[in-house]
Amino acid sequence: MLIFLSVLGGVANALTLEETVARAAEVSPSAVIAELEWRQARLDAAEKWSGMTITPEITVERSWVASTVVEDGALKARVGLLDVPAWFGALDASSEARAARWGATATALDAQYAAALLYFEIVAADGAVQSARLTAEEAQRTLTAARARATAGLDDELMAQTAEVHALETAAELARAEADRRNARARLSRALEQDIGEIASAALPALPGETSASPWLDAYDARAASARYEELGAWSELLPSAELQADAKLGGDDWRVTLQGRWTIDGVGPFLRARRAALEKQAVAVARDGLQRDLDLGIATAVEDAQASALVAQAARARVALAEKALGVGQARLSVGLIDTLDLLQLQRDVRKAREDVVEAGLAEAVAVLEARRVAGVAW
């Protein structure tokens, strides 16, 4: 669990991490567009397959010849018996639809992890505000003590002025931390397209394994299958085709069944299209291999960063405890004149730096863990 998560208490109706990622998948423009493209690809594939079914045709005619009315109607149905390119074309369209589906899944997953990162940025910003507020309050108490000592003649005026400058610095840092928190909340609000209230505490997810199962890889596999079907379809254009057709007069007994075969060669067109598809297949394979390597590297580096950040946060927590204890001792010594105000201000700076390191290391760990899970394709 992140160190800075302790700054948040349980709040009723607070926005949770699960609600954040679910909402992001619903409203992210890129995720919505990717899903619409998937639906379009499904319709395209369905149209390809439907074109290979029986095609009925009904014609009704009414003619006037002199004083005679002639009515005629016919029913015609066709179905392809041997149309190999059409089959490969339909398989190609189905593979494109699968690629679009995996692309939509991957895009939604990326949107969810982006929103989760914004969520933890707010958690870190809350921790930074609390740290800055504690530091500012300590600086004010030191300023009060320094002024009292200067008035009593125990310290010179320079000590009091130094404490005053330190108090101004901590107040400015508090204002900066509050502005950063407002900006972080605004970014998450924009990503979710809704106003956000309180943020609930959330445990940082576990690191993934070393194997990547990103849906982007599945999308590339589907594209490779599409290119393979396109290549086979181009070669199949060299094969003959056959069609079965049935005709019948409406209202009559006449009917006819025709089996028609064709064999046409579109010059060098099939060879060129097959070559182009083969090159596309090779390009997809190279891209997929490169993505796999990038994802494996991303997981390895993110895991290393997360583990290192966890150790840094642990060390920072130890420094906070030690610095706060030293600050308490320094305040006691200042009251009896064993140290001066400058020494106490340095102790306060040490506490402030340690607190800041805890928050920064916690956020760095969250960034690394979320990135490792994203490239590994871990679903929410």
Side-chain angles (χ1 to χ4, degrees):
M1 180 180 292
L2 290 182
I3 304 308
F4 51 74
L5 291 179
S6 60
V7 305
L8 299 174
V11 180
N13 299 323
L15 180 67
T16 65
L17 178 60
E18 291 74 15
E19 293 170 343
T20 297
V21 296
R23 173 71 177 176
E26 294 175 356
V27 302
S28 169
S30 58
V32 172
I33 292 173
E35 184 175 356
L36 293 176
E37 291 176 344
W38 168 42
R39 294 180 181 179
Q40 291 174 340
R42 288 170 57 191
L43 293 175
D44 292 341
E47 182 181 5
K48 288 284 189 179
W49 285 105
S50 66
M52 297 173 4
T53 59
I54 297 176
T55 305
E57 178 182 337
I58 300 176
T59 60
V60 177
E61 295 182 1
R62 185 182 181 91
S63 305
W64 288 266
V65 181
S67 60
T68 304
V69 177
V70 180
E71 295 184 0
D72 189 16
L75 173 63
K76 180 187 298 184
R78 296 189 306 273
V79 61
L81 296 180
L82 183 61
D83 192 353
V84 181
W87 282 95
F88 282 121
L91 292 171
D92 181 8
S94 295
S95 297
E96 289 290 346
R98 286 195 298 273
R101 177 171 67 88
W102 287 116
T105 301
T107 303
L109 192 62
D110 288 348
Q112 288 180 311
Y113 275 103
L117 178 57
L118 294 175
Y119 183 95
F120 282 109
E121 285 181 356
I122 294 178
V123 175
D126 286 336
V129 168
Q130 185 181 34
S131 174
R133 183 174 291 115
L134 290 174
T135 301
E137 292 171 354
E138 292 166 352
Q140 285 296 325
R141 289 194 293 269
T142 301
L143 175 59
T144 301
R147 286 174 175 169
R149 290 177 63 83
T151 301
L154 300 177
D155 280 336
D156 55 32
E157 185 62 25
L158 181 60
M159 295 288 187
Q161 292 177 357
T162 303
E164 184 174 357
V165 171
H166 178 69
L168 290 174
E169 290 176 348
T170 57
E173 290 172 354
L174 175 58
R176 177 71 269 173
E178 290 175 339
D180 290 341
R181 180 173 62 178
R182 288 192 295 271
N183 291 338
R185 293 176 63 85
R187 287 191 291 270
L188 181 58
S189 178
R190 171 63 185 88
L192 301 184
E193 296 185 2
Q194 68 178 24
D195 294 333
I196 59 174
E198 297 295 331
I199 300 296
S201 300
L204 185 63
L207 283 168
E210 298 180 357
T211 303
S212 173
S214 172
W216 288 118
L217 294 175
D218 296 316
Y220 270 107
D221 290 337
R223 293 192 184 100
S226 173
R228 183 169 61 254
Y229 287 132
E230 185 178 354
E231 180 184 12
L232 293 174
W235 286 116
S236 68
E237 293 178 17
L238 301 175
L239 300 176
S241 62
E243 180 183 81
L244 182 65
Q245 178 174 309
D247 301 88
K249 293 288 185 179
L250 292 179
D253 296 331
D254 295 335
W255 58 272
R256 180 179 59 184
V257 176
T258 305
L259 177 61
Q260 183 181 32
R262 292 188 304 272
W263 186 22
T264 60
I265 299 180
D266 183 19
V268 297
F271 301 95
L272 297 178
R273 286 188 286 271
R275 179 54 180 167
R276 186 191 67 81
L279 294 175
E280 175 66 17
K281 183 175 64 175
Q282 184 179 359
V284 171
V286 172
R288 200 251 187 227
D289 181 67
L291 177 62
Q292 180 71 73
R293 294 174 183 271
D294 290 340
L295 293 178
D296 292 342
L297 176 62
I299 294 174
T301 56
V303 168
E304 290 291 337
D305 289 341
Q307 293 172 345
S309 297
L311 294 176
V312 171
Q314 181 180 358
R317 289 196 304 273
R319 283 195 295 111
V320 167
L322 181 61
E324 288 178 343
K325 185 180 294 185
L327 179 59
V329 174
Q331 291 170 338
R333 289 183 175 180
L334 179 66
S335 64
V336 295
L338 296 180
I339 63 173
D340 58 24
T341 302
L342 292 180
D343 293 330
L344 185 62
L345 292 178
Q346 183 58 50
L347 292 174
Q348 288 183 342
R349 293 188 180 95
D350 294 340
V351 173
R352 179 183 64 188
K353 181 62 169 61
R355 289 170 178 166
E356 292 174 350
D357 288 346
V358 169
V359 175
E360 292 176 0
L363 180 58
E365 182 183 2
V367 171
V369 170
L370 292 176
E371 178 62 12
R373 291 173 64 88
R374 185 191 70 82
V375 298
V378 180
W380 288 95

